[in-house]
Amino acid sequence: MGNEKQTVIEAIYNQLITSWNERNASEMAGLFNEFGELIGFDGSLAKGSQEIFDHLNPIFRDHPTPPFVCKVKSVQFLADNAAILRAIAGMISPGQQTINPDLNTHHTLVTIKKGDTWKIALFQNTPAQFHGRPELVERMTSELNELL
């Protein structure tokens, strides 16, 4: 049963990433519950599906957002109806073929199950700059480049 639930949580994360990569603000916002929060790479905060859509739509419309390359590192269940997924992610800048280390990030996803449906309560996209520790940037970048 635990593996089935983990697969569900990873599928929600993969839907989120696919929505980003396809630049689909409506689909991405629809994955959040009514109180869901999105904290972006630059620290922007959007709360609730409508605000998340309103935040993402102009980004996707006006900017050539690079796609994410991601690797799930862990899924932890806090209860039968709550889980935290942690992943690392990077992006390939336009015209490049490898991960841009300046865009490496940690992803944290908190999901909550209400009834039979899992929804995102929080998605946080935290820059992974590892100030003063270039070997950690290099290690993360290498790990993500292996997925290409």
Side-chain angles (χ1 to χ4, degrees), residues 16 24-38 45-58 119-121:
L16 182 77
N24 187 333
S26 179
E27 187 176 308
M28 196 168 168
L31 296 169
F32 287 80
N33 67 21
E34 63 213 75
F35 306 107
E37 296 184 358
L38 173 115
L45 174 64
K47 297 180 180 185
S49 292
Q50 186 61 52
E51 192 174 311
I52 291 168
F53 173 81
D54 291 343
H55 172 73
L56 292 172
N57 198 45
K119 291 281 194 174
I120 298 169

Side-chain angles (χ1 to χ4, degrees), residues 38-101:
L38 173 115
I39 302 174
F41 191 79
D42 68 348
S44 299
L45 174 64
K47 297 180 180 185
S49 292
Q50 186 61 52
E51 192 174 311
I52 291 168
F53 173 81
D54 291 343
H55 172 73
L56 292 172
N57 198 45
I59 292 171
F60 291 153
R61 184 186 63 230
D62 301 335
H63 303 283
T65 53
F68 280 119
V69 175
C70 306
K71 183 176 183 179
V72 173
K73 300 298 274 185
S74 67
V75 176
Q76 296 178 322
F77 287 88
L78 305 175
D80 286 339
N81 67 338
I84 296 175
L85 177 146
R86 192 178 66 72
I88 59 171
M91 296 177 142
I92 302 171
S93 295
Q96 301 299 310
Q97 296 185 0
T98 58
I99 300 294
N100 177 349

Side-chain angles (χ1 to χ4, degrees), residues 8-9 12 77 80-83 111-113 116-120:
V8 169
I9 303 308
I12 292 168
F77 287 88
D80 286 339
N81 67 338
T111 56
I112 297 185
K113 184 177 181 184
D116 291 333
T117 306
W118 287 91
K119 291 281 194 174
I120 298 169

